[in-house]
Amino acid sequence: MKFLSTACLLLFMLAASAQLTYETLLVDYDSAWQFRDLKIIPIRRKAGAGMAQHPDMVPLNQALSKGLVTITERGTTSFENVHWLRFNTHGKTPIYIAGGEIVAGGRQDRMIVRDTILQPMEKDQYVPVMCVEEERWSDKEKKFGYGSFANPHLRKVLDSTGNQVSIWREVDRQLLAGAFKNKTLSYLSRYQDKKYLAAEDEYFRFFMSKFAKTDSNVVGFVAITGNKVIGTDIFNGTDLFYPQLDPLLHGYIDDVMASGLPVTLKDPPLKRYMDRLLKDEGSQTEFVKDKGKIFRQDGRVMHVNTFTKETPVQ
């Protein structure tokens, strides 16, 4: 009987940890941090909720810096190969790639289409991508390196349309709005603007210092500007979230610097928003149909994110 009870408890904990809902998560409204036009509320794993760990999985930014993966063009013909990149793993470590991450170089900068886990193998692996640098297709391929996370507005266009022309239009709109000088209509050209970098760094240092001083059980956050939720990103485990935090913050800060407003959103409508996202698995699945996406691996939810809402939260 004792064995049966223990087995049932273990199965219950495994089932609970497979989802990212109120059963395992806490939105820590009391620990909200705000700097200028951006408010961030951390989302934590509840105590005893079966904290997921992925010791043998490395996020893309770390994999590139450690030489655990090489990214190359699929070929030389743009029309046939622009929407795929070749990934070759080195070693025995699976690599986690998130939709919306940008890699710079090659024949043009690209944005990853969807979350993917690359298993270590000798074979070539191909990952779907979209171009975020419209007016460059170099004859000579540059070495690919890590760029950043795209901001929530661009990620929304990626996931809601999956259309290359729409992505180019959104990149162009953002570059014009920010008056970023560039020759190739590259999304990443904003990171060459000294005034932009100085202003962005103030936001970044403030929030990174807050994350550094808080408990290490944070697995995501919800971000707000004006009377809108910009978006949410929640991962199944601190060891997936924290390595992604740096580029994620850059993406959210970029969004606020382009279209942020003084924060006016009150807790009641915000909590209703989060209730719809985190109440239970069924509610979450319905909510993200047109407002986000869920990435599952072997039945376990690995990543949930929602996008910018163009209308105020009700």
Side-chain angles (χ1 to χ4, degrees), residues 229-250:
V229 170
I230 302 175
T232 62
D233 273 279
I234 312 169
F235 291 86
N236 190 332
T238 57
D239 56 345
L240 289 183
F241 169 69
Y242 278 101
Q244 306 272 21
L245 178 57
D246 183 318
L248 268 177
L249 274 179
H250 282 296

Side-chain angles (χ1 to χ4, degrees), residues 208-269:
M208 282 299 283
S209 69
K210 295 299 183 182
F211 277 104
K213 294 175 183 177
T214 193
D215 295 336
S216 59
N217 62 346
V218 178
V219 293
F221 59 79
V222 52
I224 301 118
T225 192
N227 61 349
K228 300 185 298 185
V229 170
I230 302 175
T232 62
D233 273 279
I234 312 169
F235 291 86
N236 190 332
T238 57
D239 56 345
L240 289 183
F241 169 69
Y242 278 101
Q244 306 272 21
L245 178 57
D246 183 318
L248 268 177
L249 274 179
H250 282 296
Y252 278 92
I253 293 166
D254 179 62
D255 208 77
V256 170
M257 289 180 60
S259 55
L261 293 168
V263 176
T264 58
L265 183 63
K266 304 299 182 182
D267 278 354

Side-chain angles (χ1 to χ4, degrees), residues 244-295:
Q244 306 272 21
L245 178 57
D246 183 318
L248 268 177
L249 274 179
H250 282 296
Y252 278 92
I253 293 166
D254 179 62
D255 208 77
V256 170
M257 289 180 60
S259 55
L261 293 168
V263 176
T264 58
L265 183 63
K266 304 299 182 182
D267 278 354
L270 173 59
K271 288 179 179 178
R272 288 194 291 270
Y273 180 97
M274 297 308 296
D275 286 348
R276 294 169 65 191
L277 176 62
L278 299 177
K279 179 182 178 181
D280 54 46
E281 185 180 1
S283 175
Q284 184 175 89
T285 300
E286 185 64 27
F287 185 69
V288 302
K289 278 184 178 179
D290 62 347
K291 299 178 183 66
K293 63 179 182 179
I294 302 173
F295 173 59

Side-chain angles (χ1 to χ4, degrees), residues 17 35 66 86 95 103 117 121-123 138 142 151 161 173 178 180-181 203 221 238 265 289 296 306 311:
S17 66
F35 182 76
K66 294 178 179 179
R86 181 190 295 111
I95 297 167
V103 291
I117 296 176
M121 62 178 68
E122 294 183 2
K123 294 169 49 179
S138 303
K142 298 180 181 179
N151 62 40
T161 72
R173 182 193 70 78
F180 297 115
K181 296 179 180 180
Y203 274 96
F221 59 79
T238 57
L265 183 63
K289 278 184 178 179
R296 296 181 176 88
T306 59
T311 54

Side-chain angles (χ1 to χ4, degrees), residues 3 7 9 21 23 82 89 95 112 159 165 185 194 200 205 234 244 253 258 273 303 312:
F3 173 79
L9 178 60
T21 65
E23 190 166 9
V82 68
T89 60
I95 297 167
I112 305 297
D159 289 296
V165 173
L185 296 182
K194 292 182 179 179
E200 193 230 24
R205 285 188 288 107
I234 312 169
Q244 306 272 21
I253 293 166
Y273 180 97
H303 181 203

Side-chain angles (χ1 to χ4, degrees), residues 112-176:
I112 305 297
V113 168
R114 58 176 178 264
D115 289 36
T116 304
I117 296 176
L118 298 178
Q119 298 298 333
M121 62 178 68
E122 294 183 2
K123 294 169 49 179
D124 296 344
Q125 299 183 66
Y126 295 95
V127 175
V129 293
M130 288 287 181
C131 172
V132 287
E133 186 181 11
E134 183 178 1
E135 295 189 358
R136 180 173 75 91
W137 183 260
S138 303
D139 292 334
K140 185 177 180 181
E141 180 179 343
K142 298 180 181 179
K143 181 180 179 180
F144 273 108
Y146 191 80
S148 185
F149 257 96
N151 62 40
H153 269 91
L154 186 56
R155 291 168 69 188
K156 178 181 178 179
V157 174
L158 169 69
D159 289 296
S160 60
T161 72
N163 181 276
Q164 180 63 77
V165 173
S166 296
I167 289 169
W168 277 335
R169 287 175 179 170
E170 177 61 20
V171 171
D172 187 47
R173 182 193 70 78
Q174 293 186 23
L175 294 177
L176 287 172

